[in-house]
Amino acid sequence: MEYIYAALLLHNAGKEITEENVTAVLKSAGVEVQDARVKALVAALEDVNIEEAINRAALAPVAAAAPAAAAAPA
Amino acid sequence: MEYIYAALLLHNAGKEITEENVTAVLKSAGVEVQDARVKALVAALEDVNIEEAINRAALAPVAAAAPAAAAAPA
Amino acid sequence: MEYIYAALLLHNAGKEITEENVTAVLKSAGVEVQDARVKALVAALEDVNIEEAINRAALAPVAAAAPAAAAAPA
Amino acid sequence: MEYIYAALLLHNAGKEITEENVTAVLKSAGVEVQDARVKALVAALEDVNIEEAINRAALAPVAAAAPAAAAAPA
Amino acid sequence: MEYIYAALLLHNAGKEITEENVTAVLKSAGVEVQDARVKALVAALEDVNIEEAINRAALAPVAAAAPAAAAAPA
Amino acid sequence: MEYIYAALLLHNAGKEITEENVTAVLKSAGVEVQDARVKALVAALEDVNIEEAINRAALAPVAAAAPAAAAAPA
Amino acid sequence: MALYTHHLPRWKRDEVEEIKRGIQEHPVVGIVNMHGIPASQVQDIRRNLRGTARVKMSRNTLIERALNELGGSVADLKEHFEGQSALIFTNENPFRLFKLLEQTKTKMAAKPGEIAPEDIVVPKGPTTFKPGPIVGEFQQVGIPAVIEGGKVKIRETKTVVKKGEVINRKVAGVLSKLGIKPMDVGLALQAAYYRGSVFTPEMLAIDEEACAKKIAFAASQAFNLSVNAAIPTRLTIGAIIGRAVSEARNVGVEAGVYEKDIIDLIIGRARREMLAVALAAQARGFDLDEETLK
């Protein structure tokens, strides 16, 4: 998860999630950085609205609980 | 949450969560570090088993939603 | 359920779910394709709002799991 | 999610999840494949018992929800 | 939690959450005030919409995790 | 809610919730204290198990949003 | 004032002086209505209040005279006289006094002409009565009764008097036969004087359950604030970590970041999505293989 934590740290700090930035953060924590993982991370996050993604699953279950029952018989 | 992510990043990287390390990680992400917040974080984490808290989070999300609905009318 | 995954893959890739496309994906994975099933799948999915179904599954894991269990004996 | 769909498709078809196979499936669906993500996916799946993960996914949410409700009145 | 309660008291009283005010409130309650914690509190709350933060459910409460853990073996 | 927060602050600080203490805390926050409300609060809390009430809240923090409306006029 | 003094017999003068002293020596003065309280119960109440509050019974006219002689805001208590009043003196605060008096109340049978303090409900079910005129009495007050197994049975639950209505003679008779005691009897605090203000019962009644709920609510808000603003405290640091971890997982799953720690979550998500689409397809005629449904 280090890579994701690094990305969220950058996001929270209002910085862009670039390969360079992610690498810098990981290194500062003493992580031996794997370029491919950084690339994969940045690519995956490219089209994602992080703010939404953070809150989505976190908030959704509350709303989901009710329809869950309704959906069950379907 | 930047400070928390920095701590989690260090934890995942197997590094100790000290004021120095947290500050270094935050700086690498371009965060203007506030010493008092770092101190408060490190102090709060002293009494916590981080691994346990992480594992609990892994199990909880789905379950957490349910009591919300039940408790709401209270 | 390879057939369904193939359909989802096409959907996510922004491609149309046609008999031809589904067949191509399945073949690429070394699946021995049954034409009748491909036809049935494409016909069935014509009226399905896949995006909605996916979102429901993502948001309400409980709901998705429940009918799954119920459907099991089928 | 395209990458994971491709992996699960291969798994269901009884094929090995290699970088080569995943890439082939993705390409067949017209996806512009990013090598780094394929690599990351295959690496992440290396030590994972997919069958088990699937079963856990199917069972966990339902089980988790039940005790949660019970805890609410406490 | 004293520091949080002091902040909420000030917020509810329509007063600004400054180091000075927080310190005064804590002292009035007989708390031995730690300057660093006051600083950290005020800094953390600077950019926070308190009204929103107090009403937005915080996820993954410690207690909710317990039943989840019980369900884990499932 | 100022009065409630004052009480909780005192409780967390390990101080007794007396009319005198509540009044002192409220005044320190610049609240114009209504004697009758302080008295009513202290009398009411005599028979309330605060620790229990707090724990109830800790179990269902998600629920906070719902009673918000109900509690507002208080 | 001088006028009153001249016309009062000695014992009345003493009584007025005693009342005045009581008022002056206690921060809280309450007015209670003693009407309809049996003497035995008054004694019980006095005993229960001993050391906390003192009940001073007197004629309303003398109490009024004492209040008038003292003048000022305490005289406003006169407006709350009702029935046969008595004064109650205490050093407790008025809220505590109200609570104490509520606790001394007991349930009693209703007398004809009394007002129902709440809806009076007669529950359905068997009674111990043998068939006889009692059935007619029940029916006259609207209680449907039948004979069953040689005993009178009430067929359905009935509200015989609504809150605030007068309990008439017939109803009172039936209620007493059924052993239903609807009346709260005890010292009802009409008003309390404290530090220049007169408090009415509505102001004094505190809802402890509501107070506990507010405490819980405030605690939730504090918890939420601490977690949402990431202000670590001993109580919330676990939840804050949990939240950060959840957020990271959410982002990872949502974006498809294939990391070992969350790959199983991603698999689960994909599997659920597949099932959702599979079930939708099944509903439209696509046969699912058994394996899909396992």
Side-chain angles (χ1 to χ4, degrees), chain A residues 1-5 8 37 41 44-45 48 50 53-58, chain G residues 243-245 247-252 254-257 259-262 269:
Chain A
M1 295 291 282
E2 303 92 273
Y3 290 71
I4 300 185
Y5 289 136
L8 281 176
R37 290 180 73 184
L41 173 77
L45 290 176
V48 171
I50 292 187
I54 282 178
N55 292 321
R56 192 172 175 194
Chain G
R243 169 156 184 156
V245 172
E247 287 183 354
R249 282 170 194 273
N250 290 346
V251 169
E254 197 75 24
V257 182
E259 291 280 340
K260 273 199 198 309
D261 287 330
I262 53 170
R269 165 82 162 264

Side-chain angles (χ1 to χ4, degrees), chain G residues 69-272:
Chain G
E69 286 184 15
L70 285 170
S73 46
V74 75
D76 293 344
L77 280 177
K78 283 183 302 184
E79 289 157 28
H80 300 274
F81 275 7
E82 200 177 295
Q84 185 194 338
S85 292
L87 290 181
I88 187 159
F89 304 124
T90 181
N91 292 321
E92 290 286 351
N93 81 48
F95 298 93
R96 186 102 183 87
L97 174 65
F98 183 85
K99 216 151 70 169
L100 275 172
L101 293 183
E102 286 300 304
Q103 284 160 3
T104 62
K105 285 187 175 174
T106 50
K107 288 287 184 189
M108 300 271 287
K111 294 199 199 79
E114 283 185 321
I115 308 288
E118 57 207 86
D119 284 1
I120 301 177
V121 177
V122 175
K124 69 173 174 183
T127 71
T128 55
F129 300 113
K130 294 213 169 73
I134 185 86
V135 177
E137 284 176 45
F138 278 173
Q139 266 150 9
Q140 277 182 39
V141 299
I143 302 173
V146 292
I147 312 295
E148 204 178 277
K151 291 275 166 66
V152 176
K153 185 187 170 193
I154 295 168
R155 210 153 30 80
E156 57 183 296
T157 300
K158 265 271 187 240
T159 302
V160 290
V161 188
K162 285 223 163 65
K163 177 180 176 176
E165 285 178 1
V166 174
I167 302 167
N168 67 37
R169 180 167 303 280
K170 280 178 182 163
V171 171
V174 167
L175 290 176
S176 111
K177 281 180 183 153
L178 285 168
I180 294 172
K181 298 177 171 175
M183 305 306 294
D184 291 312
V185 179
L187 297 181
L189 192 63
Q190 311 289 333
Y193 172 83
Y194 177 72
R195 287 200 188 170
S197 306
V198 172
F199 293 83
T200 59
E202 299 78 55
M203 296 160 79
L204 295 174
I206 30 182
D207 185 340
E208 274 130 19
E209 187 48 37
C211 187
K213 274 186 188 150
K214 275 189 219 161
I215 289 278
F217 179 62
S220 291
Q221 289 191 322
F223 188 92
N224 287 346
L225 178 61
S226 175
V227 174
N228 289 331
I231 303 169
T233 69
R234 211 161 273 146
L235 183 73
T236 53
I237 183 67
I240 293 173
I241 292 174
R243 169 156 184 156
V245 172
S246 291
E247 287 183 354
R249 282 170 194 273
N250 290 346
V251 169
V253 172
E254 197 75 24
V257 182
Y258 306 112
E259 291 280 340
K260 273 199 198 309
D261 287 330
I262 53 170
I263 190 67
D264 56 340
L265 293 177
I266 297 176
I267 292 172
R269 165 82 162 264
R271 158 95 183 166
R272 284 197 300 273

Side-chain angles (χ1 to χ4, degrees), chain B:
Chain B
M1 298 288 276
E2 307 90 273
Y3 293 72
I4 305 289
Y5 285 128
L8 279 172
L9 173 46
L10 285 164
H11 174 79
N12 262 256
K15 295 290 174 301
E16 226 184 314
I17 300 173
T18 62
E19 294 178 25
E20 207 186 331
N21 287 347
V22 171
T23 304
V25 171
L26 286 170
K27 275 195 176 152
S28 80
V31 175
E32 219 175 282
V33 185
Q34 288 170 293
D35 283 351
R37 294 189 71 182
V38 175
K39 260 189 225 307
L41 174 70
V42 172
L45 286 174
E46 250 159 40
D47 300 329
V48 165
N49 183 331
I50 296 184
E51 202 52 38
E52 215 175 74
I54 289 176
N55 287 334
R56 244 182 304 174
L59 293 170
V62 181

